[in-house]
Amino acid sequence: MALCTQSSKMASVLTQTSESKLDKNNIGKLNLSNGSADVVENYEGQYRFAPIQEAQVSRAMIKRYFEAMYDRVVSDVVIVGAGSAGLTCAYHLAATRPNLKITIIEANVAPGGGAWLGGQLMTPMVIRKPANRFLQEIGVPYEDEGAYVVVKHAALFTSTLLSRVLAMPNVVMFNATAVEDLIVKEDHAGQQRIAGVVTNWTLVALNHDTQSCMDPNTITAPVVVAATGHDGPMGSFAAKRLVSAGLLKELGNMRGLDMNRSEPAIVNNTREVAPGLIMAGMELSEHDGRNRMGPTFGGMIGSGIKAAHEAIRVFDSLNVVEGRVVASA
């Protein structure tokens, strides 16, 4: 087996001032700019943090979170679901079109979906070629087995991809946030178009039956990518909502496992399933009635990249004003 690695260049910047010096015992002392206190990095019992007030912590979080929420009320592309397909879509889309405002909505506290493990709670991740090229792009090492490659731990893939996505300046993620509904409007051509998503904090969404009415929020976007996975507590949300909204007659329902049929079918059929709504990953298997693929992840990667291509195609075909489609381009 050959070990294939893609080296990534990491920049490390160390700022030193006359007030900050390290001695042989790795003891550093830095005077704060306001001169109010010293911070010391000392692992021999003298470690000292800069002083802080609890209100400062709260304000730092609240300010940034709600500034991001305020800004992304109008987005260019909303991706629902931060599993392997959704994150791959976000990465490729953000890298290809850094001008687009891309907002990811993830219902779970921990993004990544089912890509933290391989099959039956085992840790290695199997990816069929040619999807290994994406691993090379983001710098994930693997063992080459000929027709497929193996990442030593699925979490290595997911954590690397997640960190790359979140480092992109045009991407914002709201996790622990559920999409409760789709915004559906009649567009300039008289057709029903998905025009954004309806959101709420997941803990609120899970407790509508236990509390009085807790209304949601909205995000307007001309393009929505649904990648919520196969049927489950939060899975296949958009596919199921299309049926209940009268935009789809019925679900195709996911078929039995067949890796050789499933993966190419999911990648090749990733598309705009309704005006403004692109569907990717295993959610598409429920929509179309495709086979499941089980513990192989090349199809998720390929579908995510295809969804990014579709999102660009759809976005560029529209004349968009403040997130609203007003005409064809």
Side-chain angles (χ1 to χ4, degrees):
M1 296 182 292
L3 181 64
C4 177
T5 62
Q6 173 72 17
S7 61
S8 58
K9 297 179 180 178
M10 302 294 292
S12 177
V13 179
L14 175 63
T15 303
Q16 292 182 329
T17 68
S18 59
E19 301 168 319
S20 177
K21 295 180 180 179
L22 294 178
D23 65 16
K24 64 180 181 180
N25 295 318
N26 197 32
I27 300 175
K29 186 175 182 179
L30 173 65
N31 293 325
L32 298 181
S33 59
N34 61 12
S36 61
D38 291 333
V39 297
V40 177
E41 185 178 5
N42 178 305
Y43 297 97
E44 297 179 349
Q46 299 298 319
Y47 199 105
R48 189 187 309 151
F49 286 96
I52 197 168
Q53 298 298 319
E54 286 77 7
Q56 290 177 284
V57 175
S58 295
R59 283 173 173 161
M61 293 187 296
I62 292 168
K63 179 177 184 291
R64 288 160 178 81
Y65 186 89
F66 284 100
E67 280 180 350
M69 181 181 281
Y70 182 89
D71 177 63
R72 293 311 176 102
V73 162
V74 176
S75 298
D76 293 320
V77 180
V78 170
I79 299 172
V80 187
S84 50
L87 288 175
T88 301
C89 176
Y91 176 88
H92 191 82
L93 184 57
T96 305
R97 293 291 293 271
N99 60 310
L100 295 180
K101 291 168 60 175
I102 301 161
T103 303
I104 307 171
I105 308 295
E106 168 55 45
N108 287 307
V109 171
W116 292 107
L117 293 166
Q120 198 168 320
L121 306 184
M122 292 180 282
T123 54
M125 171 182 273
V126 175
I127 295 172
R128 294 165 64 192
K129 294 180 177 180
N132 64 304
R133 294 172 184 170
F134 184 69
L135 302 181
Q136 296 171 11
E137 182 177 346
I138 64 174
V140 174
Y142 57 75
E143 294 176 278
D144 194 325
E145 293 282 5
Y148 61 92
V149 303
V150 182
V151 179
K152 71 175 184 179
H153 199 301
L156 177 59
F157 165 78
T158 302
S159 60
T160 301
L161 177 56
L162 184 59
S163 66
R164 295 298 180 90
V165 168
L166 292 178
M168 291 181 167
N170 57 330
V171 175
V172 169
M173 177 187 290
F174 298 107
N175 47 317
T177 303
V179 170
E180 292 191 330
D181 205 351
L182 301 172
I183 300 174
V184 182
K185 291 182 176 290
E186 186 174 294
D187 68 8
H188 63 283
Q191 63 182 348
Q192 297 297 301
R193 172 173 290 277
I194 308 305
V197 295
V198 179
T199 63
N200 218 326
W201 285 310
T202 302
L203 288 177
V204 173
L206 293 173
N207 281 280
H208 284 306
D209 293 335
T210 67
Q211 302 292 323
S212 59
C213 181
M214 297 176 284
D215 279 330
N217 199 5
T218 63
I219 299 176
T220 297
V223 180
V224 175
V225 178
T228 66
H230 54 68
D231 195 14
M234 298 287 181
S236 296
F237 171 79
K240 291 184 285 190
R241 188 65 179 109
L242 288 178
V243 176
S244 61
L247 300 176
L248 179 68
K249 183 178 179 180
E250 61 184 4
L251 289 179
N253 294 318
M254 184 173 63
R255 302 295 194 259
L257 192 150
D258 186 333
M259 293 178 183
N260 287 307
R261 277 194 290 176
S262 175
E263 290 197 287
I266 294 302
V267 176
N268 292 328
N269 288 284
T270 295
R271 67 193 188 280
E272 187 181 25
V273 297
L277 180 66
I278 295 162
M279 195 165 289
M282 294 312 297
E283 183 164 7
L284 189 66
S285 70
E286 297 283 5
H287 181 279
D288 286 1
R290 303 287 179 180
N291 295 91
R292 64 184 299 188
M293 63 193 65
T296 175
F297 290 82
M300 297 297 94
I301 292 171
S303 181
I305 294 172
K306 176 75 180 298
H309 286 291
E310 285 292 292
I312 292 169
R313 180 190 63 78
V314 173
F315 185 85
D316 288 347
S317 72
L318 304 171
N319 187 354
V320 179
V321 177
E322 278 295 295
R324 296 177 295 106
V325 177
V326 297
S328 298

